[in-house]
Amino acid sequence: MSSAQPLLTTRPEVQTDNKVATEKLWKVVVWNDPVTPMPVVTLVFKKIFGYPQEKAEQLMMTVHHEGRAIVWSGGQDRAEHYVVQLHVHGLLATMESDD
Amino acid sequence: MARSRLFPRRRDGHVEVKLNGHAREFIAQQMQKVVDADHDAQHPWHSHVHSPMNPSADTDDPLRVLQRQKETASNAELALLTVKDEQLTLVEAWAWLTTMQIALRNHVVARGAFENDSLEGIDEAELSEIRDLQYLLFELAKALE
């Protein structure tokens, strides 16, 4: 029986003062605008998040029809990174905490 | 995939640019506006290039703000440097796309049309620039699929 440690570990919780606190979840939101061509939005989602064509298109359509879409959620650092990348690619994006 | 007529993708991965002088001049003007907006705090697009990242926070993380500014500026400058090239690397083609997209969005944001979700109130000359940018972005996106 191997005693090797697992290669991948997850860290969903933080121990503080003998209490278990769940890390806050952050959502990356992309907002609709009246001019950006749809294929550009799909392309940028594929590039930044590595989403397959179908998922990227689905998110793009959600943005188009509902005015916004949550395109990713997770830790704050990565959420900030993704918002920066979406801005660099010319899309309107914000982040919000899952309170 | 060589589906785009204006920006056909070559087998070696490069993107050809089949634009005439007028179109290149138009694109160069748009790229220059993004460069100027980044450098000039008085530029009408400046505040939109530097919009907040996290509206729920009082201030954004300065390192993230700097990262965004550097990437936006270097993309715009790279795009401007290559605007007369006959073919682009993928990195250069992406710099064109991101810079034109930022220009497109800023045309509209600066006119407050995002709030109305319409292009009413934008004059004909600017509307024509918006349509041209949309067409060029649509074509370039096909090359990068």
Side-chain angles (χ1 to χ4, degrees):
Chain A
M1 201 166 150
S2 170
S3 61
Q5 293 294 311
L7 291 175
L8 295 173
T9 59
T10 55
R11 195 167 58 88
E13 294 173 335
V14 179
Q15 194 80 25
T16 54
D17 297 335
N18 298 324
K19 293 178 183 172
V20 175
T22 305
E23 280 186 16
K24 193 187 275 189
L25 200 63
W26 288 82
K27 295 180 283 195
V28 174
V29 181
V30 171
W31 299 81
N32 190 36
D33 71 64
V35 289
T36 303
M38 290 180 178
V40 171
V41 180
T42 303
L43 191 63
V44 170
F45 287 168
K46 285 168 66 180
K47 184 190 182 206
I48 292 178
F49 300 103
Y51 291 153
Q53 179 75 20
E54 192 177 342
K55 180 169 182 175
E57 272 180 9
Q58 190 179 33
L59 286 168
M60 178 275 291
M61 292 307 289
T62 303
V63 174
H64 182 66
H65 289 302
E66 297 178 19
R68 57 173 258 165
I70 296 165
V71 295
W72 187 86
S73 61
Q76 183 174 7
D77 267 4
R78 285 187 69 189
E80 285 178 349
H81 166 77
Y82 285 139
V83 170
V84 166
Q85 289 308 310
L86 288 161
H87 284 196
V88 167
H89 287 76
L91 299 189
L92 187 60
T94 55
M95 55 190 285
E96 49 192 53
S97 62
D98 195 24
D99 287 335
Chain B
M1 302 286 281
R3 291 168 47 195
S4 170
R5 285 184 297 119
L6 295 182
F7 302 99
R9 183 83 171 264
R10 290 164 42 130
R11 285 189 179 182
D12 64 6
H14 285 74
V15 176
E16 278 187 57
V17 182
K18 293 185 174 294
L19 297 175
N20 61 23
H22 176 72
R24 283 179 192 269
E25 181 61 29
F26 168 74
I27 290 175
Q29 286 170 3
Q30 303 302 318
M31 291 168 174
Q32 186 64 57
K33 284 181 186 176
V34 176
V35 172
D36 292 345
D38 182 61
H39 294 166
D40 178 6
Q42 303 303 316
H43 195 283
W45 290 2
H46 183 80
S47 60
H48 308 302
V49 171
H50 298 272
S51 58
M53 284 188 286
N54 179 4
S56 60
D58 291 336
T59 56
D60 287 323
D61 178 348
L63 289 178
R64 295 293 187 189
V65 171
L66 184 63
Q67 181 193 351
R68 178 178 64 178
Q69 185 182 357
K70 280 174 65 179
E71 287 192 39
T72 302
S74 48
N75 277 339
E77 282 161 11
L78 176 61
L80 201 51
L81 278 173
T82 56
V83 75
K84 292 182 178 171
D85 289 2
E86 295 299 318
Q87 55 178 304
L88 305 172
T89 64
L90 276 186
V91 170
E92 291 163 350
W94 270 103
W96 279 46
L97 184 127
T98 56
T99 305
M100 287 196 292
Q101 170 59 24
I102 286 173
L104 172 66
R105 200 162 70 85
N106 280 308
H107 271 289
V108 181
V109 176
R111 298 287 178 174
F114 267 1
E115 286 75 11
N116 303 330
D117 199 28
S118 80
L119 301 179
E120 286 176 21
I122 296 182
D123 63 62
E124 199 55 44
E126 189 148 19
L127 207 52
S128 171
E129 288 190 26
I130 289 169
R131 299 290 182 226
D132 288 346
L133 275 170
Q134 285 178 315
Y135 177 65
L136 289 163
L137 279 164
F138 194 85
E139 288 291 307
L140 186 52
K142 281 194 265 182
L144 294 173
E145 278 175 355

